[in-house]
Amino acid sequence: MGSTTLTTPFKDQTHYSLAKKLLPWTIYAFFPIVIFRLYFYPLQLPQSSRDRFSNTTPIIITSSSTLSLAPPPRLSPSPHFSPYKEEERADETPCDYTSGKWVPDKLGPLYNGTTCGTIKDGQNCINHGRPDFDYLYWKWKPKQCELPRFEPNTFLQLIRNKHIAFVGDSMARNQLESLLCMLSTASVPELVYKDGEENKFRRWHFPSHNANVSVYWSPFLVKGIEKSKLGPDYNKLYLDHVDERWASDLDHISMIVLSIGHWFLHPAVYYEGDSVLGCHYCPGLNHTEIGFYDVLRKALRTTLKTIIERRGSNGNAIDVVVTTFSPSHFEGDWDKAGACPKKKPYNESEKQLEGMDADMRKIEVEEVIAAKDNAKQFAKFRLEALDVTKLSLMRPDGHPGPYMHPFPFANGVTDRVQNDCVHWCLPGPIDTWNEILLQVVKKWEGPSERGE
């Protein structure tokens, strides 16, 4: 028994020492086997929300910088149709850029009123003495993803050897000038053509990429005669004919961005063929008052139909973007101080898309859906709506207001002062439109999208 008592601790100690020496080598031996198993036979993870809700995504757009993309699935449009969503990848959820909120952004804009030389004076708010700068430090945050910061070199690469034209009213020009300012941070454009009152027809050339960017003044898209001091105090619209001032150049345009809306609110008489259809706000004229909603629809329908007929049917590729209605933010008379006084964005509970703003947007989106269906047999015709109405509605702080003129209060605050609560300061919220436009163009790139 004594011998047993003396040798047992020694044996336990020997076993413990041996186990201690062998344990690390055992771990080292099993570690590569585990890695090999996981690499070739990965575990099946639970189904993600992306998989569960994939059928709710009508059209998808990628936020990555790659240009070779798979085509999105064709699904039936829903009442909440959103024409640009981020392409699904294994590690992200599809993104609806139309739904989100404005959040603080420390980075601020890419340019300012001094560094960009193409800003219209009326939108150069900083140079005109606007004292607050907080409106420059917000970014649009979609609910499901991040909207990438604008990449000027990427956009220029995508329009290399192409001609992009902005056609419409002053909002088309506002968006164009925003884009030019952002692109000029990478490559300075040359003004190569200008014509018309207030240079309403202009073209810039980017020698670095052999790209052209133009603006065409056409506030109705269809043929129109604008009111003047020397003529009638109402507009005339010919709803069955497009405005040839831009349409005659269609064969030389690679992408066309259309933007209309505000001019349809003005007094007008409407024609179809040689007949008068009616008018909007035309007291004293013996015409039927028909309002402007149906007229907007007819004008956009004629425009898209003409583009499809002239470019889609002949196999000559063209891309078309319709920028939806941009709301104004007047809170009183346009010529009174404080017409658009807000200093920060609305949050979602403060402002809802409704009334005329919602109706104008709805017409434009519906016509885009209808035109896409009519042109689906033309593989080289691509069309999307740039749906910016809601995100623009949430930015009452982004307009020039009284700073449409230089230093309006230099001699003190007056009761009467002109305000612009329609257009957007540059830089300002309208830069976000072009951030989303870049995502639309990136989605379009790739041979499978064009059917090539």
Side-chain angles (χ1 to χ4, degrees):
M1 289 292 294
S3 174
T4 303
T5 304
L6 290 174
T7 58
T8 299
F10 176 76
K11 289 181 180 180
D12 291 343
Q13 185 177 0
T14 302
H15 293 159
Y16 172 78
S17 177
L18 182 60
K20 185 176 181 181
K21 290 180 180 179
L22 291 178
L23 181 60
W25 293 104
T26 304
I27 294 173
Y28 295 153
F30 276 99
F31 186 76
I33 297 174
V34 172
I35 295 299
F36 180 88
R37 170 62 175 80
L38 290 176
Y39 183 83
F40 288 100
Y41 303 96
L43 296 176
Q44 296 298 316
L45 297 178
Q47 187 183 44
S48 67
S49 61
R50 173 180 64 82
D51 295 324
R52 291 195 298 269
F53 299 104
S54 60
N55 287 336
T56 66
T57 306
I59 296 180
I60 296 170
I61 276 184
T62 182
S63 64
S64 66
S65 59
T66 178
L67 302 183
S68 181
L69 307 175
R74 282 187 64 88
L75 298 174
S76 300
S78 70
H80 303 289
F81 171 77
S82 174
Y84 35 85
K85 300 204 173 181
E86 216 173 30
E87 186 182 44
E88 290 187 64
R89 295 187 312 196
D91 59 346
E92 67 181 351
T93 302
C95 179
D96 178 0
Y97 290 120
T98 65
S99 180
K101 63 182 179 179
W102 290 95
V103 298
D105 177 27
K106 294 180 180 179
L107 291 177
L110 290 174
Y111 64 95
N112 58 49
T114 302
T115 60
C116 181
T118 55
I119 301 176
K120 181 179 171 64
D121 280 345
Q123 280 95 60
N124 202 336
C125 303
I126 298 174
N127 280 15
H128 281 187
R130 179 168 173 168
D132 62 306
F133 301 114
D134 288 348
Y135 73 97
L136 298 173
Y137 294 92
W138 296 90
K139 66 178 180 179
W140 180 246
K141 174 67 174 70
K143 289 183 177 179
Q144 296 174 314
C145 74
E146 293 290 335
L147 173 61
R149 189 170 172 83
F150 189 83
E151 303 166 345
N153 284 307
T154 300
F155 198 102
L156 286 167
Q157 183 61 32
L158 292 170
I159 65 170
R160 180 182 292 276
N161 301 322
K162 295 181 180 180
H163 178 198
I164 176 173
F166 288 78
V167 180
D169 56 20
S170 54
M171 299 311 299
R173 185 197 63 226
N174 206 176
Q175 184 180 0
L176 160 94
E177 290 173 349
S178 162
L179 180 63
L180 285 176
C181 285
M182 292 197 287
L183 294 179
S184 66
T185 62
S187 179
V188 179
E190 300 173 355
L191 180 63
V192 295
Y193 175 81
K194 62 180 180 178
D195 188 24
E197 181 186 354
E198 297 182 5
N199 296 325
K200 290 181 176 178
F201 301 85
R202 289 174 290 168
R203 181 169 301 155
W204 290 263
H205 180 66
F206 288 86
S208 60
H209 294 76
N210 189 34
N212 291 312
V213 180
S214 300
V215 61
Y216 293 79
W217 172 258
S218 184
F220 313 111
L221 298 181
V222 293
K223 180 183 176 181
I225 299 176
E226 298 170 29
K227 61 182 180 179
S228 68
K229 295 179 181 179
L230 301 177
D233 60 351
Y234 54 85
N235 301 311
K236 294 181 179 181
L237 277 67
Y238 299 86
L239 300 175
D240 51 349
H241 296 287
V242 293
D243 183 355
E244 291 295 337
R245 293 180 298 177
W246 63 266
S248 61
D249 283 352
L250 265 177
D251 285 342
H252 309 289
I253 295 173
S254 311
M255 181 194 307
I256 186 168
V257 181
L258 306 172
S259 182
I260 54 171
H262 288 277
W263 272 70
F264 286 81
L265 309 182
H266 297 179
V269 175
Y270 310 124
Y271 296 84
E272 197 164 53
D274 296 327
S275 303
V276 175
L277 288 180
C279 70
H280 170 60
Y281 193 70
C282 55
L285 297 178
N286 189 24
H287 300 315
T288 304
E289 171 71 40
I290 62 174
F292 56 82
Y293 286 132
D294 286 341
V295 172
L296 171 66
R297 187 182 295 278
K298 284 179 178 291
L300 189 53
R301 186 172 296 176
T302 295
T303 298
L304 296 176
K305 181 175 180 287
T306 301
I307 296 173
I308 292 170
E309 289 174 349
R310 295 190 186 183
R311 288 294 299 270
S313 58
N314 64 9
N316 193 2
I318 190 170
D319 297 326
V320 183
V321 174
V322 176
T323 303
T324 61
F325 187 70
S326 175
S328 62
H329 291 93
F330 286 101
E331 296 187 15
D333 295 339
W334 67 274
D335 61 347
K336 281 190 176 181
C340 42
K342 294 289 192 296
K343 301 298 182 186
K344 64 179 183 179
Y346 288 121
N347 60 49
E348 200 161 4
S349 63
E350 289 181 284
K351 196 71 172 177
Q352 299 298 318
L353 181 59
E354 57 189 2
M356 185 192 72
D357 297 333
D359 291 339
M360 298 285 271
R361 173 206 171 267
K362 181 174 181 286
I363 289 169
E364 292 166 336
V365 171
E366 286 176 348
E367 288 305 306
V368 167
I369 295 173
K372 289 178 74 171
D373 188 59
N374 293 336
K376 60 186 177 183
Q377 70 270 33
F378 304 126
K380 295 186 178 182
F381 177 86
R382 302 187 295 201
L383 170 64
E384 298 288 2
L386 190 70
D387 192 350
V388 299
T389 305
K390 179 63 182 293
L391 66 88
S392 301
L393 177 70
M394 309 303 283
R395 291 304 305 270
D397 58 323
H399 301 289
Y403 298 98
M404 62 183 293
H405 298 298
F407 303 96
F409 306 119
N411 298 319
V413 178
T414 59
D415 183 50
R416 293 286 174 177
V417 59
Q418 286 184 311
N419 288 273
D420 181 356
C421 304
V422 176
H423 302 98
W424 301 96
C425 291
L426 294 177
I430 197 170
D431 295 333
T432 300
W433 299 11
N434 290 317
E435 288 180 335
I436 300 175
L437 177 61
L438 173 55
Q439 300 308 308
V440 173
V441 179
K442 285 168 68 174
K443 173 253 182 178
W444 275 339
E445 286 304 313
S448 59
E449 283 293 329
R450 182 73 80 179
E452 297 170 348

